[in-house]
Amino acid sequence: MKRLFGHLNNEPIFEYTIFNQNNHRISVLSYGGVIRKWMAPDRDGNVSNIVLGFETMDEYVASSPYFGAIIGRHAGRIDGGAFRIGDKTYDLATNDGANHLHGGERGFDRHIWQVEEDVQRLTLTRTSAHMEEGYPGELDVRVTYELTDDNELVITYEATTTEPTVCNLTNHTYFQIGQIGETVASQALTIAADAFAPIRDDSIPTGERIPVEGTLFDFRSGRTLGTGFHRLDEQLEHAQGGYDHPFFLNGTAGPQATLVDESSGRRLTVTTDLPVLVVYSGNQLDGSIAVEEGIIPQYGAICLEAQHLPNEINDVTTSGTLLSPGETYRATTTYQVTTD
């Protein structure tokens, strides 16, 4: 189903809604590939939205903290807004202090995508021009959203380039599987990760790999998120009292992460072939943003972003984010919502 959502610089922005047989429906914008709504039943069959999204284009342009968007060319931060490929340095926008964040001032989240629709699948495409936001190579990108009858949102990414470049794509949906307007503090998160990446005070990974054992980052057996908020911990202080950290996934079969809300009975699982899951617990939400369902407090939603390690291009000799002509970037992440 397609409808006109609004306009951007006199260009129409459309909203596409896909359905499955279990009363789930997901609405996606041609602007930024934004997942604007995911309507899903709770354990009692009551259907409500489980992601943060705005009602107007003006709100997305003015104040959206990447709500639901495709992030590219590079998810996360790049130190100093620069990277090298071979003997050449490429300078990027520094749109997060001295660093580059989520593809720059006009990343993939702020472009209009071409959309092909089917009943349960949307295919979004765009070409990122050579030197767009400072990135070399013309990058052809294809992102597919498929809503299955197993209540899975399967996101598939593909990209090819004309010159060696950096490519690290993710989706920045803010999940609130309980009640929008409340916090995620009571929700339990499990991650199959034995180590995490500590960050500096500007949120750039330090390049270290720290075991989670004995830390507030040990989610291997499940941990209520609020047990970490505002604790006296240097790493949490770097992230404004919450989590904004990459976890190195173990690569085990089955879901790599599970989020459970006892009040609604909803369970969100994440399965991915990517090596890192960045957990962002909505630390910078401060009550200044309102959506249809209510005002969003600090920790009012959580992002579970599967990707490669931010700033990896500057830290290791061989980076999974480096893409060369003749290669195809491929990745798949699946979000499944079930009820207890």
Side-chain angles (χ1 to χ4, degrees):
M1 185 174 72
K2 174 183 176 181
R3 75 176 183 97
L4 181 66
F5 182 75
H7 290 83
L8 179 68
N9 300 325
N10 295 320
E11 288 197 56
I13 304 298
F14 293 101
E15 180 178 72
Y16 300 81
T17 302
I18 50 179
F19 308 80
N20 73 4
Q21 64 181 8
N22 303 317
N23 218 14
H24 285 244
R25 68 181 189 271
I26 296 176
S27 298
V28 175
L29 301 182
S30 56
Y31 175 75
V34 165
I35 298 172
R36 195 179 78 85
K37 284 187 181 293
W38 184 340
M39 305 300 292
D42 63 12
R43 67 159 62 90
D44 298 318
N46 301 309
V47 176
S48 60
N49 187 21
I50 61 167
V51 303
L52 301 188
F54 290 121
E55 296 301 305
T56 68
M57 268 305 301
D58 287 346
E59 291 170 296
Y60 280 104
V61 172
S63 60
S64 176
Y66 305 99
F67 278 176
I70 297 168
I71 302 299
R73 289 188 193 191
H74 188 283
R77 294 168 175 83
I78 295 178
D79 191 10
F83 64 89
R84 291 178 64 84
I85 296 178
D87 59 359
K88 187 167 183 179
T89 297
Y90 295 93
D91 293 316
L92 310 174
T94 50
N95 60 319
D96 184 62
N99 303 316
H100 178 82
L101 175 64
H102 289 335
E105 294 174 350
R106 191 167 178 240
F108 288 5
D109 60 298
R110 291 187 175 270
H111 282 270
I112 299 174
W113 293 67
Q114 300 300 309
V115 183
E116 296 179 9
E117 62 175 321
D118 202 342
V119 176
Q120 293 183 222
R121 178 184 296 180
L122 300 171
T123 301
L124 292 81
T125 56
R126 73 172 301 263
T127 297
S128 173
H130 173 60
M131 298 310 294
E132 178 180 287
E133 293 294 321
Y135 290 94
E138 184 177 275
L139 192 76
D140 287 326
V141 186
R142 176 185 297 266
V143 179
T144 301
Y145 295 139
E146 182 177 6
L147 176 60
T148 74
D149 287 331
D150 290 323
N151 305 332
E152 300 167 318
L153 172 60
V154 183
I155 306 179
T156 304
Y157 308 89
E158 292 186 354
T160 58
T161 183
T162 59
E163 295 186 25
T165 193
V166 170
C167 184
N168 186 20
L169 308 179
T170 194
N171 180 275
H172 210 291
T173 291
Y174 286 69
F175 289 98
Q176 174 46 284
I177 62 172
Q179 177 68 42
I180 291 178
E182 298 180 355
T183 78
V184 297
S186 64
Q187 295 176 11
L189 178 64
T190 304
I191 310 175
D194 294 331
F196 77 101
I199 58 174
R200 307 183 321 208
D201 60 4
D202 61 356
S203 295
I204 295 285
T206 64
E208 300 170 276
R209 187 184 183 107
I210 303 295
V212 299
E213 179 75 35
T215 75
L216 294 169
F217 295 82
D218 191 349
F219 288 93
R220 292 173 297 178
S221 299
R223 183 187 196 95
T224 303
L225 284 160
T227 60
F229 295 162
H230 292 300
R231 293 285 295 275
L232 292 177
D233 180 274
E234 182 182 44
Q235 280 300 304
L236 296 176
E237 290 171 2
H238 287 339
Q240 296 182 288
Y243 296 95
D244 191 7
H245 293 77
F247 289 78
F248 296 102
L249 299 174
N250 292 343
T252 54
Q256 278 86 31
T258 302
L259 183 70
V260 176
D261 180 75
E262 292 291 346
S263 62
S264 68
R266 292 192 186 99
R267 177 185 299 267
L268 172 68
T269 60
V270 184
T271 305
T272 186
D273 55 11
L274 287 159
V276 166
L277 187 72
V278 173
V279 175
Y280 172 58
S281 56
N283 318 317
Q284 293 166 303
L285 300 172
D286 60 4
S288 63
I289 291 177
V291 296
E292 182 182 24
E293 297 85 358
I295 296 171
I296 309 304
Q298 188 178 35
Y299 315 128
I302 186 169
C303 302
L304 301 169
E305 307 162 57
Q307 58 185 266
H308 290 274
L309 183 66
N311 198 48
E312 182 182 86
I313 191 69
N314 286 321
D315 276 342
V316 296
T317 303
T318 303
S319 170
T321 66
L322 182 62
L323 182 66
S324 297
E327 300 174 343
T328 300
Y329 173 97
R330 289 189 177 93
T332 300
T333 300
T334 299
Y335 299 93
Q336 183 181 39
V337 177
T338 57
T339 53
D340 294 335

